Amino acid sequence: MTATDSALTGFAQGWCALSLLHGRIESHIERALQAGHGLSVREYSLLDVLSRQHSGPGGHLRMHQVADSVVLSQSATTRLVSRLEDRGLLNRYICDTDRRGIYTDVSEAGLALLAAARPTNDAALREALAEAGRNPELAPLVAAVENTRTSPGPQLP
């Protein structure tokens, strides 16, 4: 094995650990959101992203921006938007200035559900990180996640 091979193995091990951490956190949050609010992680994420839009220039996100924010394809995001619209949690309407554009806003019911679910999401995230932090393989990654709380993170598009 060459030095490059061992470096790649290290990267692969790091990626596996990161993937494991993500999976554990997402599963823990999924169970909590489903049990408490009937929401999936993706549904919660979509409501959260859309709730941060605002009126005015650049205030509404295009579907590809929403898809990127919730880490789904555009078609999967569109299906997710449709499901939440059917549940009365979202509203869609045509843009006044560009008839080709369709905006999606969180309804009052969606905002209420999001507000109720946010503490559940936050608590489940804290629990999942605490549990993962007790695993020696995951502890450095958990520390890195916790350190991002004190530094400015990426901003939504």
Side-chain angles (χ1 to χ4, degrees):
M1 185 183 300
T2 67
T4 304
D5 292 337
S6 64
L8 289 176
T9 300
F11 283 134
Q13 289 171 340
W15 170 245
C16 286
L18 183 59
S19 182
L20 177 63
L21 178 62
H22 177 269
R24 285 184 179 183
I25 290 171
E26 188 169 64
S27 293
H28 191 83
I29 294 171
E30 180 84 24
R31 286 189 302 274
L33 287 173
Q34 281 290 348
H37 308 282
L39 283 174
S40 72
V41 168
R42 298 286 188 221
E43 291 168 337
Y44 174 88
S45 296
L46 181 66
L47 289 172
D48 185 53
V49 165
L50 291 176
S51 73
R52 297 172 194 273
Q53 298 182 120
H54 59 85
S55 298
H60 279 85
L61 301 175
R62 297 193 178 276
M63 197 55 72
H64 76 276
Q65 293 171 304
V66 174
D68 288 347
S69 295
V70 296
V71 193
L72 289 173
S73 67
Q74 276 189 258
S75 61
T77 302
T78 299
R79 288 190 301 273
L80 183 58
V81 165
S82 294
R83 283 196 309 272
L84 292 176
E85 184 180 33
D86 290 346
R87 289 174 58 188
L89 302 174
L90 298 177
N91 301 308
R92 284 194 259 196
Y93 59 95
I94 295 175
C95 172
D96 290 337
T97 58
D98 181 359
R99 305 299 288 169
R100 297 169 297 169
I102 298 176
Y103 288 155
T104 304
D105 282 334
V106 182
S107 68
E108 290 300 320
L111 291 171
L113 181 58
L114 180 61
R118 186 166 277 122
T120 302
N121 180 79
D122 294 349
L125 175 58
R126 280 191 302 275
E127 291 166 5
L129 285 170
E131 182 180 320
R134 292 188 287 274
N135 179 328
E137 293 176 353
L138 301 178
L141 295 172
V142 171
V145 169
E146 289 174 343
N147 287 337
T148 62
R149 290 187 297 182
T150 59
S151 62
Q155 300 298 310
L156 291 177

